[in-house]
Amino acid sequence: MPIKIQNDLPARSILEQEKIFIMDETRALSQDIRSLQILILNLMPIKEDTEVQLLRALSNTPLQMDITLMHMSSHTSKNTSSMHLNKFYITFDEVKNRKFDGMIITGAPVEMVPYEEVDYWPELVEIMEWTKTHVTSTVHICWGSQAGLYYHYGINKVLLPRKISGVYKHHLLTRDMPLTRGYDDFFKVPHSRNTTVPLEEIEKNPDLILLAKSYEAGAYLIQNRSGSQIFVTGHPEYDRMTLDKEYRRDMKAGLNPMIPENYYPDNDPEQQPKLTWRLHANTLYTNWLNYYVYQVTPYDLKSEEKEHNEK
């Protein structure tokens, strides 16, 4: 699938090396086709890594997408240069009058902080409310899923006895929803978090459907009845070495982290981890784009925007 991105986005060279079809702005101008408009709110500290991971995950359908990257105007990033943000990212004020076919809200390293104490929480609340009327379907990842479940459904996170870090086996609970078409009975997904959302709170909410869970990592894949909101508590987009980088970062910081579970062969951090979750990640995002975005989004977003702005 061609992903349209800015000509000189650093992620481009990495994805091209992986033979992923990237279409730059110049070539896209010659295409007489209505691209899906996908907005990514990147809350992760090292934004370049997340860009590569998400663009790779979105690259496995024949649908053409126009990607817009967004960051929070109410937060100063410490790990991504202002030059990169100014060149490749926009803020909410620049897009709040537009409509999008799909949106992704990433995780963020603020899970130990109460939601209302996160410095950009008021802005994120405004954005999550805006998605109800301006986005066909929104995927929330990791902390983003916890924040979304809290804001939209009042389900608060709870602190875990110890951090969940590793690659865990997940059980498919239903094949009745398009999001889980083609799934195996069991599949693996990386997790890296200190908090979780109570399984029983999700199961008793009539507006939510629990699609998959892990006995070790808890609730994993959740959607609302319409499919306009999807919550993914893990990190299917992670690279092979992402958990390794996190583990070594925490070791260097003197945090004495546990070795990520089910990750290194023989539980040996000196061995290269096996990549066992890419197929699931590809299927998840392909199903989302096809069944929850492409097949239900309005063809003419411009007329939708005009009609909404005139009200």
Side-chain angles (χ1 to χ4, degrees):
M1 174 208 68
I3 301 176
K4 181 194 166 202
I5 57 176
Q6 289 151 290
N7 293 350
D8 48 356
L9 184 72
R12 175 181 176 176
S13 62
I14 299 173
L15 296 170
E16 286 181 333
Q17 289 173 15
E18 298 180 17
K19 309 302 182 185
I20 291 175
F21 184 9
I22 298 296
M23 179 180 294
D24 63 24
E25 297 167 304
T26 303
R27 181 172 178 183
L29 289 173
S30 67
Q31 301 289 310
D32 186 16
I33 192 171
R34 205 298 235 166
S35 300
L36 293 176
Q37 299 296 309
I38 305 297
L39 179 64
I40 298 177
L41 174 57
N42 192 348
L43 303 175
M44 293 293 278
I46 305 177
K47 301 193 186 304
E48 294 95 329
D49 288 354
T50 305
E51 292 161 13
V52 172
Q53 293 167 7
L54 288 176
L55 292 175
R56 181 192 292 118
L58 293 170
S59 69
N60 290 281
T61 84
L63 303 172
Q64 183 172 313
M65 284 176 281
D66 189 346
I67 305 295
T68 300
L69 299 171
M70 183 167 72
H71 73 105
M72 308 299 281
S73 62
S74 54
H75 175 76
T76 301
S77 178
K78 299 177 182 177
N79 298 281
T80 300
S81 72
S82 58
M83 182 181 297
H84 185 85
L85 294 175
N86 292 336
K87 188 171 186 178
F88 300 114
Y89 281 71
I90 50 83
T91 62
F92 180 56
D93 281 343
E94 296 174 79
V95 296
K96 64 183 180 182
N97 292 322
R98 291 178 55 188
K99 290 211 169 187
F100 288 85
D101 302 300
M103 181 175 180
I104 297 173
I105 299 176
T106 75
V110 292
E111 58 181 331
M112 305 295 281
V113 181
Y115 294 115
E116 290 79 3
E117 294 181 19
V118 174
D119 61 357
Y120 52 78
W121 181 250
E123 184 180 6
L124 182 57
V125 163
E126 184 180 5
I127 291 170
M128 289 191 291
E129 182 63 27
W130 170 85
T131 64
K132 294 179 181 179
T133 53
H134 288 73
V135 182
T136 301
S137 181
T138 302
V139 171
H140 310 68
I141 302 173
C142 199
W143 181 83
S145 73
Q146 296 181 1
L149 288 166
Y150 177 66
Y151 174 71
H152 292 296
Y153 299 100
I155 299 175
N156 209 343
K157 62 188 176 183
V158 295
L159 184 65
L160 290 165
R162 63 180 179 87
K163 182 178 181 179
I164 289 177
S165 176
V167 180
Y168 299 94
K169 183 178 179 180
H170 292 69
H171 301 256
L172 182 65
L173 300 179
T174 177
R175 297 183 186 277
D176 294 338
M177 305 305 294
L179 193 62
T180 55
R181 288 181 185 173
Y183 278 28
D184 292 324
D185 289 340
F186 309 106
F187 54 91
K188 295 180 179 181
V189 183
H191 287 259
S192 179
R193 50 189 167 83
N194 290 284
T195 56
T196 191
V197 287
L199 190 67
E200 61 274 12
E201 292 294 314
I202 295 166
E203 291 176 326
K204 74 180 185 182
N205 191 306
D207 295 325
L208 296 174
I209 304 171
L210 180 64
L211 304 177
K213 69 177 181 179
S214 163
Y215 292 121
E216 296 89 358
Y220 166 62
L221 188 58
I222 307 137
Q223 71 163 76
N224 66 356
R225 294 285 169 183
S226 68
S228 63
Q229 296 167 354
I230 293 167
F231 307 94
V232 182
T233 67
H235 282 288
E237 79 286 353
Y238 265 12
D239 289 331
R240 179 195 303 268
M241 303 306 293
T242 305
L243 286 174
D244 177 76
K245 290 178 182 177
E246 293 180 357
Y247 171 69
R248 297 186 189 280
R249 176 202 63 199
D250 291 349
M251 286 285 288
K252 187 175 181 180
L255 299 178
N256 193 29
M258 295 183 63
I259 296 174
E261 297 182 279
N262 315 309
Y263 181 54
Y264 299 109
D266 301 321
N267 211 33
D268 179 4
E270 299 309 312
Q271 295 194 47
Q272 178 171 275
K274 299 297 184 182
L275 184 59
T276 59
W277 59 90
R278 181 66 57 79
L279 179 60
H280 164 68
N282 292 345
T283 305
L284 170 64
Y285 282 99
T286 296
N287 284 354
W288 172 61
L289 288 168
N290 183 22
Y291 298 116
Y292 293 75
V293 180
Y294 174 70
Q295 294 196 26
V296 296
T297 196
Y299 180 79
D300 189 354
L301 286 180
K302 294 292 184 182
S303 63
E304 290 277 316
E305 291 167 10
K306 182 179 179 181
E307 180 181 343
H308 185 270
N309 292 334
E310 287 176 349
K311 289 182 179 179

